[in-house]
Amino acid sequence: MWAVARAAGLGAADAADAVQGAWLRLVESVDRIRDPRAVGAWLMTTTRREALRLGRKAGQEFPADPPDLYEHPTLAAPDPTTEIVEADYGRTLWSRVSRLSEPCRTMLRLFALNPDVRYAQVAARMHLPVGSVGPTRARCSAKLRTLLAEDPLEC
């Protein structure tokens, strides 16, 4: 969703608003969902529409008919092997994150799930001094790298 909003030419703050708007539209429409498997595509389309709406509101110029990102051959038919490998790596990565102790587990999740989160926000959420967020993040990332290097294929 983030990539779709950024591809529409939005800055980080507006892209975050577009993604948030798409999630809001999903919550508002949850009672009308007929096929849960289509929610991902629906979210992408809604994110693109939110991004275009925000861009027009900000006075950006967009083509009259923006290209459909989902008609691109590499996006329409992803390589199944790549998808399997990425999904497996994702499971392995999150399995390793769950093996970390606090505050590493929470901190790495915050940064992974909120790419534009600021250190002040993380510090407030985790009740840490702002100056300790960077060093703590570095230590946590090193611990995660160690866990991944031990046996990257074991889940």
Side-chain angles (χ1 to χ4, degrees):
M1 291 171 65
W2 180 255
V4 170
R6 293 291 288 193
L10 297 180
D14 286 336
D17 288 345
V19 171
Q20 184 177 13
W23 283 110
L24 176 63
R25 302 288 171 264
L26 176 63
V27 170
E28 293 171 344
S29 306
V30 75
D31 59 328
R32 295 186 301 268
I33 294 175
R34 289 181 295 234
D35 184 6
R37 293 173 295 173
V39 169
W42 185 91
L43 279 169
M44 294 304 154
T45 300
T46 304
T47 301
R48 189 184 71 215
R49 289 179 181 154
E50 286 290 315
L52 294 174
R53 183 185 63 75
L54 286 169
R56 278 192 291 273
K57 198 173 178 182
Q60 290 179 345
E61 294 288 325
F62 291 103
D65 189 16
D68 190 350
L69 298 174
Y70 309 103
E71 290 181 11
H72 192 278
T74 59
L75 293 177
D79 176 31
T81 306
T82 303
E83 284 188 353
I84 291 169
V85 170
E86 287 177 359
D88 188 49
Y89 182 75
R91 281 189 297 276
T92 301
L93 177 70
W94 288 112
S95 151
R96 296 306 189 274
V97 169
S98 69
R99 288 173 42 189
L100 293 170
S101 60
E102 290 298 338
C104 291
R105 189 173 38 238
T106 298
M107 182 171 287
L108 292 178
R109 284 183 177 143
L110 282 171
F111 280 107
L113 299 174
N114 303 292
D116 282 343
V117 70
R118 300 190 184 281
Y119 278 21
Q121 294 169 314
V122 173
R125 164 72 171 79
M126 298 186 67
H127 310 291
L128 296 171
V130 175
S132 70
V133 172
T136 303
R137 180 182 185 186
R139 282 191 300 276
C140 294
S141 295
K143 288 177 185 178
L144 180 60
R145 278 192 295 277
T146 300
L147 284 175
L148 287 168
E150 285 175 359
D151 188 0
L153 298 177
E154 177 190 308
C155 287

Short mmCIF file of all heavy atoms in Angstrom, two decimals, residues 2 9 13 20 28 34 40-41 46 48 50 52 77 81 94-95 124 131-133 137 147 152:
data_model
loop_
_atom_site.label_atom_id
_atom_site.label_comp_id
_atom_site.label_asym_id
_atom_site.label_seq_id
_atom_site.Cartn_x
_atom_site.Cartn_y
_atom_site.Cartn_z
N TRP A 2 1.95 1.18 0.80
CA TRP A 2 2.87 2.30 0.90
C TRP A 2 3.47 2.59 -0.48
O TRP A 2 3.54 3.74 -0.91
CB TRP A 2 3.95 1.97 1.92
CG TRP A 2 4.94 3.03 2.11
CD1 TRP A 2 6.22 3.04 1.63
CD2 TRP A 2 4.78 4.27 2.82
NE1 TRP A 2 6.85 4.20 2.00
CE2 TRP A 2 6.00 4.96 2.73
CE3 TRP A 2 3.73 4.84 3.51
CZ2 TRP A 2 6.17 6.21 3.32
CZ3 TRP A 2 3.92 6.07 4.08
CH2 TRP A 2 5.12 6.74 3.99
N GLY A 9 3.18 9.67 -6.48
CA GLY A 9 3.88 10.94 -6.40
C GLY A 9 3.71 11.66 -5.07
O GLY A 9 4.06 12.84 -4.96
N ALA A 13 4.37 12.01 4.22
CA ALA A 13 3.22 12.31 5.07
C ALA A 13 1.91 12.08 4.33
O ALA A 13 0.97 11.48 4.88
CB ALA A 13 3.29 13.75 5.57
N GLN A 20 -3.67 5.31 5.42
CA GLN A 20 -4.61 5.36 6.54
C GLN A 20 -6.04 5.51 6.03
O GLN A 20 -6.97 4.87 6.53
CB GLN A 20 -4.25 6.50 7.48
CG GLN A 20 -5.13 6.56 8.70
CD GLN A 20 -4.70 7.68 9.65
OE1 GLN A 20 -3.92 8.55 9.29
NE2 GLN A 20 -5.25 7.66 10.84
N GLU A 28 -14.97 0.94 7.11
CA GLU A 28 -16.31 1.42 6.80
C GLU A 28 -17.08 0.44 5.90
O GLU A 28 -18.30 0.40 5.93
CB GLU A 28 -16.24 2.79 6.10
CG GLU A 28 -15.73 3.89 6.98
CD GLU A 28 -15.46 5.19 6.23
OE1 GLU A 28 -15.39 5.18 4.98
OE2 GLU A 28 -15.32 6.22 6.90
N ARG A 34 -17.68 -9.39 0.15
CA ARG A 34 -18.23 -10.67 -0.28
C ARG A 34 -17.14 -11.72 -0.42
O ARG A 34 -17.37 -12.89 -0.17
CB ARG A 34 -18.95 -10.51 -1.62
CG ARG A 34 -20.24 -9.73 -1.50
CD ARG A 34 -20.91 -9.64 -2.83
NE ARG A 34 -20.07 -8.84 -3.72
CZ ARG A 34 -20.48 -7.78 -4.39
NH1 ARG A 34 -21.73 -7.41 -4.29
NH2 ARG A 34 -19.67 -7.10 -5.15
N GLY A 40 -7.03 -7.66 -0.48
CA GLY A 40 -5.72 -7.10 -0.81
C GLY A 40 -5.78 -6.22 -2.05
O GLY A 40 -5.28 -5.08 -2.06
N ALA A 41 -6.38 -6.72 -3.11
CA ALA A 41 -6.51 -5.94 -4.35
C ALA A 41 -7.38 -4.71 -4.11
O ALA A 41 -7.10 -3.62 -4.62
CB ALA A 41 -7.08 -6.80 -5.46
N THR A 46 -7.98 1.10 -3.58
CA THR A 46 -8.46 2.18 -2.72
C THR A 46 -7.31 3.10 -2.32
O THR A 46 -7.47 4.32 -2.27
CB THR A 46 -9.16 1.60 -1.47
OG1 THR A 46 -10.21 0.73 -1.93
CG2 THR A 46 -9.75 2.69 -0.62
N ARG A 48 -4.64 3.70 -4.12
CA ARG A 48 -4.33 4.51 -5.30
C ARG A 48 -5.34 5.64 -5.45
O ARG A 48 -4.99 6.79 -5.70
CB ARG A 48 -4.32 3.65 -6.56
CG ARG A 48 -3.80 4.44 -7.77
CD ARG A 48 -3.87 3.66 -9.04
NE ARG A 48 -5.28 3.56 -9.39
CZ ARG A 48 -5.83 2.52 -9.96
NH1 ARG A 48 -5.14 1.48 -10.27
NH2 ARG A 48 -7.11 2.51 -10.25
N GLU A 50 -7.16 7.03 -3.05
CA GLU A 50 -6.91 7.98 -1.96
C GLU A 50 -5.71 8.86 -2.30
O GLU A 50 -5.72 10.07 -2.07
CB GLU A 50 -6.67 7.25 -0.64
CG GLU A 50 -7.91 6.66 -0.02
CD GLU A 50 -8.84 7.72 0.53
OE1 GLU A 50 -8.39 8.66 1.21
OE2 GLU A 50 -10.05 7.63 0.26
N LEU A 52 -4.53 9.62 -5.27
CA LEU A 52 -4.89 10.56 -6.34
C LEU A 52 -5.76 11.68 -5.80
O LEU A 52 -5.59 12.85 -6.17
CB LEU A 52 -5.59 9.82 -7.48
CG LEU A 52 -4.72 8.82 -8.24
CD1 LEU A 52 -5.55 8.03 -9.24
CD2 LEU A 52 -3.55 9.51 -8.92
N ALA A 77 1.32 -11.12 -12.73
CA ALA A 77 1.63 -12.54 -12.62
C ALA A 77 2.98 -12.72 -11.92
O ALA A 77 3.99 -12.95 -12.56
CB ALA A 77 1.65 -13.17 -14.00
N THR A 81 7.66 -19.02 -7.53
CA THR A 81 8.83 -19.41 -6.76
C THR A 81 9.30 -18.28 -5.87
O THR A 81 9.60 -18.48 -4.69
CB THR A 81 9.98 -19.83 -7.72
OG1 THR A 81 9.49 -20.83 -8.60
CG2 THR A 81 11.17 -20.35 -6.94
N TRP A 94 9.99 -13.43 11.14
CA TRP A 94 9.08 -13.13 12.25
C TRP A 94 9.18 -14.17 13.35
O TRP A 94 8.98 -13.86 14.53
CB TRP A 94 7.64 -12.96 11.75
CG TRP A 94 7.51 -11.68 10.99
CD1 TRP A 94 7.29 -11.54 9.66
CD2 TRP A 94 7.64 -10.36 11.51
NE1 TRP A 94 7.26 -10.20 9.33
CE2 TRP A 94 7.48 -9.46 10.44
CE3 TRP A 94 7.87 -9.84 12.78
CZ2 TRP A 94 7.54 -8.08 10.60
CZ3 TRP A 94 7.94 -8.45 12.94
CH2 TRP A 94 7.77 -7.60 11.85
N SER A 95 9.51 -15.40 12.99
CA SER A 95 9.74 -16.42 14.01
C SER A 95 10.94 -16.03 14.88
O SER A 95 10.91 -16.19 16.10
CB SER A 95 9.98 -17.76 13.32
OG SER A 95 10.80 -18.60 14.06
N ALA A 124 8.32 7.40 23.15
CA ALA A 124 7.10 7.61 23.93
C ALA A 124 6.34 6.30 24.10
O ALA A 124 5.86 5.98 25.19
CB ALA A 124 6.21 8.66 23.26
N GLY A 131 17.22 9.43 23.16
CA GLY A 131 18.61 9.14 22.84
C GLY A 131 18.99 7.67 22.91
O GLY A 131 20.01 7.26 22.37
N SER A 132 18.17 6.85 23.55
CA SER A 132 18.50 5.42 23.64
C SER A 132 17.82 4.59 22.55
O SER A 132 18.11 3.40 22.41
CB SER A 132 18.14 4.88 25.02
OG SER A 132 16.75 4.83 25.18
N VAL A 133 16.95 5.20 21.77
CA VAL A 133 16.23 4.44 20.74
C VAL A 133 17.20 3.91 19.67
O VAL A 133 17.17 2.72 19.32
CB VAL A 133 15.10 5.27 20.10
CG1 VAL A 133 14.48 4.55 18.90
CG2 VAL A 133 14.03 5.58 21.13
N ARG A 137 17.95 0.04 19.07
CA ARG A 137 17.57 -0.54 17.77
C ARG A 137 18.76 -1.27 17.15
O ARG A 137 18.61 -2.37 16.62
CB ARG A 137 17.08 0.57 16.85
CG ARG A 137 16.66 0.09 15.48
CD ARG A 137 16.24 1.26 14.60
NE ARG A 137 15.73 0.82 13.34
CZ ARG A 137 15.40 1.62 12.36
NH1 ARG A 137 15.52 2.94 12.50
NH2 ARG A 137 14.93 1.15 11.22
N LEU A 147 20.48 -14.44 15.30
CA LEU A 147 19.49 -15.52 15.26
C LEU A 147 19.27 -16.04 13.83
O LEU A 147 19.14 -17.24 13.62
CB LEU A 147 18.16 -15.05 15.84
CG LEU A 147 18.07 -14.94 17.35
CD1 LEU A 147 16.73 -14.33 17.76
CD2 LEU A 147 18.26 -16.28 18.01
N PRO A 152 19.37 -20.27 9.21
CA PRO A 152 18.32 -19.49 8.52
C PRO A 152 17.18 -20.33 7.96
O PRO A 152 16.12 -19.80 7.70
CB PRO A 152 19.09 -18.79 7.38
CG PRO A 152 20.35 -19.56 7.22
CD PRO A 152 20.65 -20.22 8.54
#
